[in-house]
Amino acid sequence: MNTKVSKPILVIKFGTASITLSSGEPDVRIISEIARQVSEIHSQYRIIIVSSGAVGAGKAYINDYKGTMTQRKAAASVGNPLLVGLYATYFAPNKIYIAQSLCERQHFASRNKFLQLKETFEELWSNGIIPIVNENDVVSDRELKFSDNDELATLLAVGFGAESLMFCTSVGGLLDEQGKILRNVSNVNEVFKFVRTDKSFLGLGGMASKLTFAKLASRMAIRVVIFGMNQENELLNALKGEAGTLITPGKSTLSARNRWLGSGGLVSGTLRVDEGASKALLKRKSLLAVGVTEVTGDFEAGEIIEIYSSEDEMIAVARARETSSAIRSNLKTVNFEVAHANDIVLL
């Protein structure tokens, strides 16, 4: 079955706590519901499913499991095929096939590698196949910190130019002070005060992670929805704006290349700039060393960096024109260009 490339892209991320039992094993009832509801919209979208839960699915097979990093990686290597097998089983009655894609952050750091990833997904979509994505935990040298799959889903959504990004959680949306779901959010910064700092029993993340990446996605004109799977047809209703929390997208006219750049890819360092440099950036000017007040990290020319204002707000992502050491050595040098205007994406 062929799909049309004109169909919008939809990225749906399922967190560990939303698809697993208290034992850590996958909840087949939830996975079967995911397959049923996603099958209903399959003909309307090019869909990516980003699914956590591999560690929980595989940890029972690791002797004397204590949750060390090595054990988590081993559990993920066992759990990933088990999890993907469940998705395949429940999508099969609808004659929808799925594919496994294990991604690493480096796949987003190189524009060429990213385009190869996108071409592979386009080929899967053209054959009616849904990619099930997870981070390649087995070989990743980054810690399995809470933001991994929230970040991965956002990188895919931003880089691919998705229409919508959906985060599934165990609580069904962003809760206000009375524990009620906020239905609409227009300014993400204003709702961080509602975020609880405690973590779910199995998930490594929380709402703060989702809001952080939702903020980036909404800035890139992507519609973000935070929803649950506890009510009947909740995924379908959330997609229609009838359940969960809808975060209003902003406006963006970025090119495909700058969407990829704006996603952050693999950030190698950060710069802090003064007020004058911040104003110059907003006027689409290049960044000069005289406006840089702090350089963090070691990076090479051509690598991706984040730019922060003096008020500690991330205002742009850029491709560095010089190395971190060269920038540090030339902070007072006039007309020393740190990043060219064409390689800076304002956030």
Side-chain angles (χ1 to χ4, degrees):
M1 183 182 91
N2 290 327
T3 59
K4 296 180 181 179
V5 295
S6 59
K7 293 177 182 177
I9 295 173
L10 170 63
V11 179
I12 314 173
K13 185 264 181 178
F14 295 97
T16 299
S18 64
I19 63 167
T20 55
L21 301 168
S22 58
S23 62
E25 298 175 355
D27 188 334
V28 294
R29 181 187 67 83
I30 294 295
I31 291 177
S32 66
E33 270 300 296
I34 291 171
R36 181 185 69 80
Q37 293 182 53
V38 169
S39 295
E40 288 196 26
I41 56 174
H42 180 235
S43 63
Q44 304 167 40
Y45 294 92
R46 289 172 287 169
I47 298 171
I48 299 172
I49 293 177
V50 178
S51 180
S52 301
V55 174
K59 70 177 186 178
Y61 299 88
I62 306 301
N63 293 329
D64 194 28
Y65 183 83
K66 291 185 173 61
T68 66
M69 186 57 57
T70 301
Q71 287 180 324
R72 290 184 63 81
K73 290 183 178 183
S77 68
V78 175
N80 262 318
L82 294 175
L83 192 60
V84 170
L86 284 174
Y87 279 111
T89 296
Y90 287 101
F91 271 106
N94 295 301
K95 294 183 169 37
I96 296 174
Y97 299 99
I98 59 97
Q100 182 179 45
S101 177
L102 297 178
C103 294
E104 301 172 36
R105 283 173 61 87
Q106 63 171 319
H107 297 149
F108 298 87
S110 161
R111 177 69 175 157
N112 183 53
K113 287 182 179 179
F114 177 76
L115 289 175
Q116 290 181 46
L117 177 67
K118 189 174 182 180
E119 287 173 1
T120 300
F121 278 31
E122 291 285 1
E123 183 64 25
L124 291 172
W125 288 327
S126 72
N127 287 277
I129 299 170
I130 298 176
I132 307 288
V133 183
N134 198 356
E135 179 165 2
N136 191 0
D137 297 327
V138 179
V139 299
S140 175
D141 59 2
R142 297 178 70 237
E143 289 189 349
L144 297 176
K145 64 181 183 179
F146 67 87
S147 66
D148 282 342
N149 275 343
D150 291 333
E151 181 179 33
L152 174 55
T154 306
L155 289 174
L156 288 166
V158 173
F160 282 26
E163 177 185 83
S164 298
L165 168 62
M166 302 181 72
F167 289 114
C168 181
T169 74
S170 58
V171 295
L174 177 62
L175 306 182
D176 64 16
E177 293 169 316
Q178 285 74 45
K180 296 181 179 179
I181 293 177
L182 288 169
R183 295 302 308 281
N184 291 280
V185 173
S186 57
N187 187 335
V188 175
N189 289 330
E190 294 178 353
V191 296
F192 270 98
K193 62 185 178 183
F194 296 126
V195 175
R196 294 172 56 185
T197 56
D198 55 325
K199 300 175 182 177
S200 58
F201 60 91
L202 282 170
L204 293 178
M207 198 59 71
S209 166
K210 289 164 184 60
L211 286 179
T212 297
F213 292 109
K215 181 178 178 180
L216 170 60
S218 63
R219 282 175 168 175
M220 297 293 175
I222 297 172
R223 179 176 179 268
V224 180
V225 182
I226 302 174
F227 73 107
M229 287 293 294
N230 298 318
Q231 305 296 325
E232 184 177 1
N233 290 326
E234 195 164 357
L235 188 158
L236 296 174
N237 290 333
L239 184 60
K240 292 185 290 185
E242 298 173 0
T245 301
L246 170 64
I247 297 175
T248 307
K251 295 181 180 180
S252 176
T253 57
L254 295 177
S255 65
R257 175 185 176 277
N258 280 350
R259 280 201 308 271
W260 163 76
L261 180 60
S263 72
L266 186 61
V267 175
S268 300
T270 62
L271 301 180
R272 195 171 308 281
V273 300
D274 60 25
E275 185 177 354
S278 294
K279 290 180 178 179
L281 290 175
L282 292 175
K283 294 178 181 178
R284 307 288 180 179
K285 303 292 186 180
S286 297
L287 177 61
L288 303 180
V290 291
V292 177
T293 59
E294 183 181 346
V295 182
T296 303
D298 296 314
F299 51 87
E300 299 297 321
E303 293 189 325
I304 299 173
I305 54 175
E306 294 174 339
I307 302 173
Y308 287 81
S309 70
S310 56
E311 286 78 30
D312 204 32
E313 178 184 4
M314 187 168 70
I315 56 176
V317 176
R319 181 175 292 282
R321 196 177 181 111
E322 302 287 346
T323 67
S324 54
S325 58
I327 296 171
R328 289 189 181 97
S329 300
N330 289 276
L331 291 181
K332 303 299 181 182
T333 303
V334 178
N335 294 329
F336 186 86
E337 193 173 71
V338 172
H340 190 274
N342 290 342
D343 290 327
I344 299 173
V345 175
L346 298 176
L347 300 177

